[in-house]
Amino acid sequence: MPPDPLPPAASLVRTGFSWRRTLESLTRGVFAGATYLVILVALALFARIFAAGAPVLFKAEAPFVDVGFLVSKTETLHVFDDPEGVRQQLPASRFHDYVARHGKDGVYNEQTYSYSGGGILGPIAGTVLLTGTAIVLALLFGVCAAIYLSEYSHGGRLIRLVRLAILNLAGVPSIVFGLFGFAVFVLAMPVVTSVPSERSLLAVPLWVGGLHLSFQGWSSCLLSGACTLACMILPVVVTASEESLRAVPRGLREAALALGATQWQAIRKSVLPFALPGILTSSVMAITRVAGETAPIMFTAAVAARDDLPWEGLRNPLELFSGQVQALPYHIYTLAARIPSSEYTERAQFGSVLVFLLLVMAMATLSMVLRNRIRSKLKW
């Protein structure tokens, strides 16, 4: 008996209104709308910053970049009228030269705007030094902690508590880290010195050359700020590094151990190289957070104005870490919150913000390129 003929294809297609398809379309539209809204807000923000900051950073003639804004020190801006009635805008160094040539009688209706003249070389240098030092310290201690938690620890209640503490540490506000850095690194860290400070918490004689181990802190300096920032990003580095180590197949460890390698040799040769791209990913996230923090460095390292650059006048390279530095986030905060707003301060604000965004993008891009180059060479 021949089989029954198949029904026409048209009869298999459902027609008419369907609540299920409508709900699916609405859900997709809500998700797409939220995504494009976030993109539009980000584009609007970047457009506003670029529109206001580009005239400060770029110019019409070659080399099309205002190099002076990038390589000059921050100065006070003097705005005044000259004898011909022309409005002049000069940083402090050029203003003093003008007064020396023309005398004070050639200056009319003078107004001064702090930190709004010259350039931002000092804040750029301080931001790079703070960010770079903090990333090095965080990766050093964070990767070591991740290796222990992933490869050497055997679980248990203590290890679970440690992981919980790391996760909770990631949610601590940055202002708390700033106060912690001020109390620990600025006021209480031990220093070897021959003359303990009056504010020293404890001075222990070392019986060598009259030296003492004085718990008087490092004062406000680059090292104090970098250590504070490193503590702030440690949870990100530890968590991302541990996940990267756990993602490496177990067979690579077992193969190395079967060939006679010690556990550390197996980790160093067979695990770490393949986990390195994920560890570098954590450094990218850390850079984007550390570079923009203001509260931690406000208490531990940053200064609004400084006459010389961090590396000028040093007797040895280690003195670089013992001095205060300028930083772009703190420079922007000073211009926006501590200086009366005007067209002259706004130019400095948006120019600094644009340079800051470009600097962070450059550092993050460098980390991603390095990560991708390493990842392309490693396969399992």
Side-chain angles (χ1 to χ4, degrees):
M1 182 176 181
D4 296 333
L6 295 175
S11 64
L12 299 178
V13 180
R14 293 183 179 180
T15 59
F17 180 79
S18 172
W19 280 105
R20 191 171 184 178
R21 290 198 301 270
T22 303
L23 182 60
E24 180 68 21
S25 300
L26 288 174
T27 304
R28 179 179 178 180
V30 169
F31 291 155
T35 302
Y36 292 126
L37 179 61
V38 171
I39 295 174
L40 286 176
V41 171
L43 289 177
L45 178 63
F46 293 145
R48 174 71 177 99
I49 293 173
F50 186 82
V56 182
L57 182 59
F58 303 105
K59 55 184 181 180
E61 63 274 6
F64 306 108
V65 175
D66 189 354
V67 180
F69 183 69
L70 300 175
V71 300
S72 300
K73 299 178 183 178
T74 304
E75 300 180 68
T76 298
L77 180 67
H78 293 258
V79 181
F80 61 94
D81 296 327
D82 62 14
E84 288 76 24
V86 179
R87 196 69 168 167
Q88 300 286 345
Q89 302 177 32
L90 298 178
S93 57
R94 294 175 57 191
F95 174 75
H96 295 323
D97 294 338
Y98 178 90
V99 172
R101 292 194 308 268
H102 300 87
K104 195 67 176 177
D105 295 336
V107 177
Y108 302 93
N109 303 321
E110 179 188 0
Q111 294 176 321
T112 59
Y113 301 92
S114 301
Y115 319 121
S116 301
I120 55 172
L121 178 59
I124 291 175
T127 299
V128 173
L129 289 172
L130 280 169
T131 303
T133 308
I135 293 297
V136 170
L137 292 174
L139 286 177
L140 175 63
F141 291 99
V143 173
C144 289
I147 290 175
Y148 173 76
L149 293 174
S150 174
E151 306 296 329
Y152 288 101
S153 67
H154 300 288
R157 179 177 298 178
L158 178 61
I159 298 301
R160 290 196 297 270
L161 289 176
V162 169
R163 288 196 173 97
L164 179 62
I166 292 174
L167 293 176
N168 290 334
L169 197 62
V172 175
S174 60
I175 187 68
V176 176
F177 280 104
L179 294 174
F180 167 79
F182 178 75
V184 175
F185 300 115
V186 176
L187 298 179
M189 287 299 289
V191 176
V192 177
T193 179
S194 57
V195 182
S197 172
E198 294 181 356
R199 60 179 174 82
S200 176
L201 302 177
L202 175 66
V204 180
L206 296 180
W207 312 109
V208 178
L211 298 176
H212 295 75
L213 184 65
S214 176
F215 290 82
Q216 63 189 46
W218 297 335
S219 298
S220 179
C221 62
L222 171 63
L223 185 58
S224 297
C227 289
T228 304
L229 293 175
C231 291
M232 189 176 65
I233 60 175
L234 263 178
V236 175
V237 175
V238 172
T239 303
S241 300
E242 186 180 3
E243 292 300 323
S244 300
L245 291 168
R246 290 180 177 275
V248 178
R250 189 71 186 173
L252 296 179
R253 300 173 176 82
E254 296 173 350
L257 294 174
L259 293 174
T262 63
Q263 187 172 5
W264 168 239
Q265 288 174 331
I267 295 171
R268 182 165 58 90
K269 296 290 186 179
S270 302
V271 179
L272 274 179
F274 294 99
L276 192 56
I279 295 174
L280 289 177
T281 300
S282 68
S283 70
V284 174
M285 295 185 293
I287 286 174
T288 57
R289 183 179 183 188
V290 163
E293 289 295 339
T294 303
I297 61 175
M298 183 188 304
F299 295 104
T300 57
V303 62
R306 181 174 171 173
D307 294 333
D308 55 355
L309 297 173
W311 54 81
E312 291 181 343
L314 299 181
R315 290 171 294 180
N316 63 76
L318 293 180
E319 290 184 358
L320 176 68
F321 298 97
S322 62
Q324 290 181 304
V325 294
Q326 295 174 279
L328 273 173
Y330 189 63
H331 179 68
I332 296 168
Y333 163 76
T334 303
L335 288 171
R338 295 189 174 184
I339 307 299
S341 180
S342 69
E343 59 177 312
Y344 306 106
T345 58
E346 286 183 359
R347 291 181 67 255
Q349 291 173 22
F350 283 103
S352 301
V353 170
L354 179 59
V355 172
F356 176 63
L357 289 179
L358 295 176
L359 182 63
V360 172
M361 290 174 60
M363 290 189 291
T365 301
L366 179 62
S367 298
M368 288 188 290
V369 170
L370 181 61
R371 177 195 65 188
N372 292 334
R373 287 177 62 90
I374 295 176
R375 179 177 292 174
S376 64
K377 297 178 181 179
L378 299 174
K379 297 182 182 298
W380 62 69

